[in-house]
Structure formats: C-alpha cells, structure tokens
Amino acid sequence: MIWLKAGGGFTSNLSKAVRVARADTINMIGSCGQTGGIAWPCAYIDAHSRRLVQPDDVDIKEALRGTSIVPPKQQKPRMMMFNCHGCGRFISDRQRFENNCRNCGADNRP
C-alpha cells in the first residue's frame, strides 16, 4: 500500500503518511479522489498494521520459540534403487553402470 505524504507525494512508509484531522477529511477526500486514493481512518490502519521484516534478518528457530509451530524437517534425497535383471536383488544406480551384479553377474546397464 502507498500513503499520501504531507507534501503531496506518496510513500510506502506508514510513519511518514499524513494524518488529517476529522474536520479536514472532506478536503482530503477531494484531493485523494482525483488520484484514485481512498481515505482510511487512522485507528483502523493502526489496529491492522504490522511491522515488515526482511527474511534474512530473522532466525526461524528463534521466531518460532514458544509457539506450537514445528517446521517440517527436510528429507534427504533417497538413492535410486533398481532390481537386477538376473536375480532381482536391489542395486544402486552407480552399481548398475560400474560393474555387473555381484550375485549373478548379470549386466544391468540400460
């Protein structure tokens, strides 16, 4: 959201936004209406605004401490396993290409 500054420009910083007295609201609505803006009550904005934080400045473990939120653990990628064409034993992708099956000697290269 962008806010109207006192000088007539716009800002994304809520603390720099102009605060208009209730008596001057009609004049402000007139000037905001030309740019497509909408006048909101300060009490409403203050009640619903929250501070923005950059993700690099936050430690997730520290931020979630004291809450019941548990982030999911990242799973290790599983090694691809194949069955030997000759005997059916499990062999890895690496074993498929490096040498024949140690049990039956079958060539398992695709």
Side-chain angles (χ1 to χ4, degrees), residues 20-28:
V20 180
R22 188 178 293 258
D24 298 330
T25 306
I26 301 298
N27 295 333
M28 183 56 70

Side-chain angles (χ1 to χ4, degrees), residues 59-69:
D59 181 24
I60 298 296
K61 290 182 180 179
E62 184 178 335
L64 296 178
R65 188 175 297 135
T67 66
S68 61
I69 301 171

Side-chain angles (χ1 to χ4, degrees), residues 16-82:
K16 294 180 181 178
V18 66
R19 291 183 179 253
V20 180
R22 188 178 293 258
D24 298 330
T25 306
I26 301 298
N27 295 333
M28 183 56 70
I29 290 173
S31 64
C32 287
Q34 295 170 356
T35 59
I38 300 171
W40 288 84
C42 290
Y44 178 82
I45 297 300
D46 290 338
H48 289 85
S49 67
R50 57 185 176 190
R51 201 172 124 235
L52 294 178
V53 179
Q54 295 296 325
D56 296 338
D57 298 338
V58 177
D59 181 24
I60 298 296
K61 290 182 180 179
E62 184 178 335
L64 296 178
R65 188 175 297 135
T67 66
S68 61
I69 301 171
V70 178
K73 293 183 181 180
Q74 291 195 2
Q75 296 179 352
K76 294 180 184 178
R78 296 187 74 175
M79 185 172 54
M80 291 177 57
M81 296 298 287
F82 298 92

